[in-house]
Amino acid sequence: MSIDDLDSEFELDLRLTEENLDELYDNAPCGYCSCLPDGTLVKLNQTLLTWLGYSRQELVARRCLQDLLTVGARLHYETYCAPLLLLQDQVREISYQLQCRDGRRLAVLLNANLRRDARGEPLVVRVTLFDITDRRKYEQELLRAKAEAEAQRELLTVKNAELLRINAELDNFVYTASHDLKQPASNMVGLFEELKRTATFHDPDAAGMMNMFEEALRQILSTIEGMTDVVQLQRQPDQGPEDAIDLHSFTQDIVRSLQAAATADFVLDFAAVPTLRLPRTSLHSILYNLLSNALKYAQPGRRPRVLVSTTLTTGGPVLLVRDNGRGIDLHRHGEEVFQLFRRFHPEVDGSGMGLYLVRRLVQQAGGRAEVDSVVGEGTTFRLYFPEA
């Protein structure tokens, strides 16, 4: 490119910057007007006239700035904005509504400056108006959304209080029912034992029926006791002070208390995390339920083997209980494992409450429970606890 070409391009750029000031004023993206101290309009740009729907002749020297405002805006301008202008010569970002010729209302943001003459007397007010229709709609939408959110929150508060009341009533009902049923059921067990001891039955089917009845009684008592445990857990979320529990000795004590422990192999490995800070009653209930289940649901024909261990993750300690038992079909029952009254091996005695209690106790400690299982191979429970 030659020097002449550069000069020509430079001259062209300069020509592009030579704008007509009157055209800039008239077609600015905001409204401009000038008025006398009493509000009489003396000059308006075309943008403002277009917004309002008036001609220049209809407004200049014939109408006041206040006449362009809605009633509420006019009152505010005369009692607040105009005195403030006289006091400090400017006002900034005051939200008003303009009254258009066709009855529409236009939301604007007003900025104004008061110019004075050489003697300091008010001379002219220069006003800039910005169309904030979209902004106003957005603000109104935010207010509407906020009001809806507050209404929903109040509704949820009411519903939550109602649910708490219903849950409390259900807890009282279950606790009362389980308490009232326990004694009659225990009496039935005693009477049945006495019946077996003293009565003679000549029917060859009597022995089988007696066994079925005895099994039904045990199931009733187990369910009643489980219901009582669940309600007590609901009523007493605080299981007592947290202790730094030595897992090895604590777990050994639980293993010794299990009747079928002698027929199983237990492997305890707490090298990674030797202690856990939990309420002793909570940890006892967790381990007792998991270890007794490992024995109860052992695979027929295979000696039970149970591994209880700990690992340490970035989130905190993990307690693992792994067995080689019957396993659970997680494809069918994965969502139900920790739910109340869920049983996956009907041929084995149980109330369906143990795993529910385990998960609730772990959650109360701030953790979570997970399970992996393969049918016929075994089950692994992982209990994640927060870092102490």
Side-chain angles (χ1 to χ4, degrees):
M1 183 180 291
S2 67
I3 295 178
D4 292 339
D5 290 338
L6 289 172
D7 291 342
S8 176
E9 184 179 0
F10 184 67
E11 290 175 3
L12 178 61
D13 289 342
L14 287 177
R15 286 195 299 271
L16 288 174
T17 63
E18 293 175 358
E19 295 281 357
N20 185 301
L21 295 181
D22 289 337
E23 184 179 351
L24 282 174
Y25 174 83
D26 258 342
N27 298 298
C30 57
Y32 288 119
C33 69
S34 300
C35 58
L36 300 179
D38 66 355
T40 302
L41 292 165
V42 294
K43 190 174 183 180
L44 302 91
N45 73 341
Q46 187 57 47
T47 300
L48 182 55
L49 291 171
T50 302
W51 288 352
L52 294 169
Y54 288 101
S55 67
R56 200 179 307 275
Q57 292 75 17
E58 290 177 294
L59 297 180
V60 172
R62 295 176 180 273
R63 305 287 290 273
C64 293
L65 174 62
Q66 300 91 302
D67 297 334
L68 305 181
L69 303 176
T70 59
V71 175
R74 185 183 313 158
L75 180 63
H76 184 274
Y77 179 87
E78 292 174 347
T79 58
Y80 175 80
C81 186
L84 190 61
L85 263 175
L86 291 174
L87 181 65
Q88 60 184 31
D89 292 346
Q90 67 175 6
V91 292
R92 289 287 179 268
E93 297 188 346
I94 298 181
S95 178
Y96 284 141
Q97 283 192 323
L98 299 180
Q99 186 70 54
C100 301
R101 186 173 187 177
D102 60 3
R104 290 180 300 107
R105 293 186 174 188
L106 181 68
V108 295
L109 204 62
L110 179 146
N111 293 326
N113 289 288
L114 175 63
R115 297 296 302 275
R116 298 178 182 271
D117 59 21
R119 295 177 299 170
E121 296 296 326
L123 180 63
V124 65
V125 178
R126 294 176 177 173
V127 179
T128 306
L129 300 163
F130 298 93
D131 183 354
I132 58 169
T133 302
D134 292 338
R135 170 178 161 178
R136 180 63 61 82
K137 289 180 180 178
Y138 177 69
E139 290 174 347
Q140 290 174 345
E141 181 64 22
L142 285 179
L143 291 174
R144 185 191 64 78
K146 181 182 178 182
E148 288 184 356
E150 290 177 350
Q152 288 293 327
R153 184 173 61 186
E154 291 178 0
L155 180 61
L156 287 174
T157 300
V158 172
K159 288 185 175 180
N160 186 53
E162 181 66 12
L163 285 174
L164 290 174
R165 183 188 64 79
I166 292 173
N167 284 338
E169 291 179 354
L170 287 174
D171 285 348
N172 289 333
F173 171 77
V174 172
Y175 184 80
T176 302
S178 61
H179 183 271
D180 291 347
L181 288 172
K182 188 172 183 179
Q183 187 60 46
S186 298
N187 292 340
M188 290 175 64
V189 172
L191 289 171
F192 184 70
E193 291 294 331
E194 182 64 19
L195 179 65
K196 287 197 302 180
R197 188 180 66 81
T198 59
T200 302
F201 298 94
H202 302 288
D203 188 337
D205 296 329
M209 295 178 64
M210 296 282 282
N211 290 334
M212 292 173 60
F213 187 79
E214 185 176 17
E215 176 59 29
L217 279 177
R218 283 202 303 267
Q219 185 64 38
I220 289 172
L221 277 175
S222 176
T223 301
I224 291 173
E225 290 173 357
M227 292 168 62
T228 303
D229 290 342
V230 168
V231 175
Q232 287 178 340
L233 177 64
Q234 296 283 104
R235 288 183 166 187
Q236 300 175 354
D238 185 4
Q239 299 296 311
E242 292 185 355
D243 298 324
I245 302 172
D246 179 74
L247 289 172
H248 194 275
S249 60
F250 192 83
T251 307
Q252 279 185 327
D253 289 341
I254 294 175
V255 170
R256 282 193 288 266
S257 70
L258 298 171
Q259 293 181 354
T263 63
D265 297 324
F266 284 87
V267 179
L268 309 182
D269 180 8
F270 303 115
V273 184
T275 62
L276 276 180
R277 295 197 65 86
L278 285 173
R280 300 184 73 86
T281 54
S282 295
L283 184 57
H284 186 277
S285 182
I286 290 169
L287 285 173
Y288 183 85
N289 276 289
L290 293 179
L291 298 185
S292 60
N293 278 355
L295 300 179
K296 183 188 300 183
Y297 298 103
Q299 180 71 15
R302 184 163 64 207
R303 184 177 174 85
R305 187 175 189 274
V306 184
L307 170 64
V308 188
S309 63
T310 53
T311 61
L312 186 61
T313 67
T314 55
V318 182
L319 179 63
L320 293 91
V321 178
R322 178 179 293 123
D323 64 53
N324 63 343
R326 301 176 186 229
I328 304 170
D329 186 350
L330 296 181
H331 292 290
R332 292 179 56 192
H333 307 296
E335 299 296 323
E336 307 172 22
V337 172
F338 295 105
Q339 292 183 14
L340 197 59
F341 300 122
R342 295 298 191 270
R343 300 180 62 227
F344 312 109
H345 301 286
E347 69 278 9
V348 181
D349 293 342
S351 63
M353 298 184 187
L355 294 182
Y356 172 82
L357 289 172
V358 168
R359 186 181 66 170
R360 285 301 307 273
L361 290 169
V362 173
Q363 288 176 339
Q364 285 181 0
R368 70 182 191 278
E370 295 180 357
V371 60
D372 292 323
S373 190
V374 178
V375 175
E377 295 184 13
T379 302
T380 300
F381 289 95
R382 292 181 177 85
L383 310 181
Y384 294 83
F385 295 97
E387 189 172 2

